[in-house]
């Protein structure tokens, strides 16, 4: 999204329809708090060869957005930047050579823009692409009215799944799928502990682990969040602020420990997760907002023959699998609240206060 400029005309004066040359986007020109966000009119992008223009109907917030905005994401950010990696909408226009898609199709772009040719793309592991791009970094972002993406990155949204649910599904559920099943190898009858079940990916993991036949233990910072997770299938909840997580896990498992820990928090919960594992147990991890560099007690780790497994995003196929489950009503993306685009700052502030359960969604 280059060549952007501030609008010199009123939005009301612009004719409605394809002649509109500007779109509304929430951008920032410097790192900082929510006050660096600007609602601006920017040039409407047009799709090039192999690309489509998507009219955004819903865009979900992620904690990554906060890190990108305040400059701690460790991703290269160029200014001005439009946030938002996760969106759902309708195709409005096709670029040259696009086949298999039509205007009006309901779509959810894959979070990554992959090369399609490297050894990882060629073997169904495009999440590890050697030349990766990402929605909002190599395209426009989701905090906007429209975006251009590559047609081959599109995933079809099945009927019966709303735009808000579709926007809330991909990162939470496909990340969980990749962590629990592909990386963590969770099997029916195993016991899993999900850290921070009140978050988007935590609440999604509870649902997927439950339908996979696991006994699901989860922790959260409040009893209210644990009660909400109970409605999604959580078998046993631990308040990690008021209770000793490891002691409670041992009580719940007859001193055995859990087979798998689903970790995305970092800080103290990482070590508590390791200490909660049964012998030969696995801890799968995809995030560390509460502490990215942690002490690591080596002795009990190897004596218990434990495994730590890294996990990065997910594949298109895994997203499609989650959509299939949602279309059958077996999983439900949790939308805590929706906000108009103009209130993106309030939406981000709500997320940073950690008062929500499930996803916050912008509706342009
Ligand atoms: Zn690749």
């Amino acid at each position: 999204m280059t060549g952007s400029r501030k609008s010199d005309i009123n939005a009301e004066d612009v004719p409605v329809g394809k002649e509109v040359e500007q779109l509304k986007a929430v951008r920032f020109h410097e790192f900082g708090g929510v006050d660096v966000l600007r609602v601006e009119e920017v040039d409407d992008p047009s799709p090039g060869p192999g690309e489509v223009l998507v009219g955004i109907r819903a865009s979900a917030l992620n904690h990554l957005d906060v890190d990108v905005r305040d400059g701690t994401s460790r991703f290269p950010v160029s200014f001005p930047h439009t946030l938002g990696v996760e969106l759902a909408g309708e195709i409005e226009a096709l670029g040259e050579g696009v086949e298999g898609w039509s205007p009006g199709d309901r779509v959810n772009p894959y979070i990554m823009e992959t090369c399609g040719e490297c050894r990882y793309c060629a073997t169904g592991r495009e999440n590890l692409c050697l030349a990766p791009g990402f929605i909002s970094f190599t395209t426009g972002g989701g905090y906007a009215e429209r975006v251009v993406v590559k047609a081959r990155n599109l995933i079809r949204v099945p009927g019966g799944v709303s735009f808000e649910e579709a926007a809330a599904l991909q990162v939470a559920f496909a990340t969980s799928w990749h962590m629990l099943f592909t990386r963590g190898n969770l099997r029916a009858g195993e016991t899993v502990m999900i850290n921070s079940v009140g978050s988007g990916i935590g609440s999604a993991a509870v649902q997927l682990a439950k339908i996979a036949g696991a006994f699901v233990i989860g922790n959260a910072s409040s009893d209210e969040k644990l009660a909400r997770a109970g409605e999604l299938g959580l078998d046993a909840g631990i308040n990690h602020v008021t209770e000793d997580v490891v002691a409670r896990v041992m009580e719940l498992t007859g001193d055995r420990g859990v087979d798998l820990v689903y970790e995305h928090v970092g800080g103290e919960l990482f070590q508590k997760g390791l200490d909660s594992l049964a012998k030969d147990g696995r801890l799968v991890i995809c995030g560390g907002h509460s502490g990215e560099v942690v002490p690591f007690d080596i002795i009990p780790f190897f004596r218990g023959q434990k495994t730590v497994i890294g996990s990065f995003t997910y594949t298109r196929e895994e997203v499609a699998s989650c959509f299939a489950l949602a279309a059958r009503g077996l999983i439900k993306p949790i939308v805590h609240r929706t906000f108009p685009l103009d209130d993106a700052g309030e939406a981000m502030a709500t997320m940073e206060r950690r008062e929500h359960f499930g996803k916050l969604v912008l509706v342009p």
Side-chain angles (χ1 to χ4, degrees):
M1 197 179 290
T2 54
S4 56
R5 57 188 161 87
K6 291 280 280 184
S7 175
D8 54 5
I9 47 172
N10 253 325
E12 285 82 356
D13 298 335
V14 177
V16 177
K18 282 184 178 170
E19 294 76 21
V20 175
E21 292 177 348
Q22 302 263 290
L23 64 87
K24 193 190 284 184
V26 179
R27 310 196 301 177
F28 60 94
H29 299 253
E30 59 183 320
F31 293 126
V34 291
D35 55 338
V36 301
L37 297 177
R38 303 274 179 270
V39 180
E40 297 176 332
E41 296 286 328
V42 303
D43 288 355
D44 207 353
S46 59
E51 296 179 333
V52 298
L53 177 67
V54 176
I56 299 172
R57 301 292 177 261
S59 179
L61 277 70
N62 284 282
H63 265 287
L64 171 67
D65 304 352
V66 176
D67 297 347
V68 172
R69 191 202 65 212
D70 67 19
T72 59
S73 71
R74 304 196 199 180
F75 283 111
V77 175
S78 55
F79 300 124
H81 184 86
T82 305
L83 289 167
V85 298
E86 192 171 28
L87 61 99
E90 285 175 277
I91 293 179
E92 293 190 350
L94 304 177
E96 195 186 320
V98 173
E99 291 178 6
W101 297 99
S102 306
D105 282 352
R106 302 166 79 243
V107 294
N108 174 233
Y110 180 51
I111 192 173
M112 295 177 70
E113 288 210 305
T114 54
C115 78
E117 294 172 358
C118 73
R119 60 186 293 218
Y120 296 102
C121 285
T123 52
R125 296 175 289 169
E126 69 263 26
N127 60 308
L128 302 176
C129 178
L130 293 173
F134 291 88
I135 298 285
S136 86
F137 292 94
T138 50
T139 69
Y143 291 22
E145 292 175 320
R146 285 180 288 283
V147 68
V148 165
V149 296
K150 289 191 172 72
R152 66 183 172 82
N153 284 332
L154 294 176
I155 297 157
R156 207 172 287 277
V157 176
V161 179
S162 71
F163 286 123
E164 288 86 352
E165 289 171 334
L169 178 138
Q170 187 180 136
V171 169
F173 282 92
T175 299
S176 297
W177 182 293
H178 192 69
M179 288 179 71
L180 290 171
F181 307 138
T182 306
R183 301 293 292 151
N185 198 23
L186 181 67
R187 284 163 301 218
E190 287 195 318
T191 299
V192 59
M193 177 165 75
I194 313 289
N195 282 343
S196 195
V197 293
S199 65
I201 65 170
S203 59
V206 168
Q207 295 184 56
L208 286 176
K210 186 66 179 182
I211 62 172
F215 182 80
V216 187
I217 298 171
N219 61 59
S221 59
S222 76
D223 293 345
E224 190 193 345
K225 287 179 176 177
L226 292 172
R228 291 289 307 276
E231 296 164 14
L232 301 175
L234 188 70
D235 293 301
I238 302 171
N239 184 321
H240 65 66
V241 176
T242 62
E243 295 183 282
D244 181 330
V245 171
V246 180
R248 282 285 292 138
V249 165
M250 293 306 162
E251 266 176 43
L252 289 163
T253 58
D255 276 332
R256 185 176 163 275
V258 299
D259 300 295
L260 180 68
V261 169
Y262 177 99
E263 212 316 66
H264 56 102
V265 182
E268 287 186 4
L269 280 175
F270 175 79
Q271 185 65 49
K272 288 175 181 175
L274 281 182
D275 294 343
S276 298
L277 285 176
K279 286 191 173 182
D280 224 9
R282 299 97 67 197
L283 180 147
V284 59
I285 183 161
C286 78
H289 278 100
S290 295
E292 295 174 358
V293 180
V294 294
F296 188 95
D297 191 343
I298 295 168
I299 303 298
F301 177 73
F302 73 76
R303 287 183 182 168
Q305 194 174 292
K306 298 172 184 179
T307 305
V308 173
I309 305 165
S311 187
F312 183 66
T313 68
Y314 41 79
T315 64
R316 289 178 188 78
E317 181 64 27
E318 289 167 331
V319 179
S321 297
C322 293
F323 270 122
L325 291 179
R328 293 167 61 199
L330 293 172
I331 57 172
K332 180 88 177 159
I334 308 297
V335 177
H336 176 80
R337 191 178 157 193
T338 61
F339 297 82
L341 203 51
D342 288 341
D343 294 343
E346 190 192 335
M348 291 196 90
T350 301
M351 183 169 63
E352 289 175 77
R353 288 194 299 269
R354 296 179 184 272
E355 294 165 355
H356 57 297
F357 187 95
K359 303 282 281 193
L360 302 167
V361 175
L362 299 175
V363 180

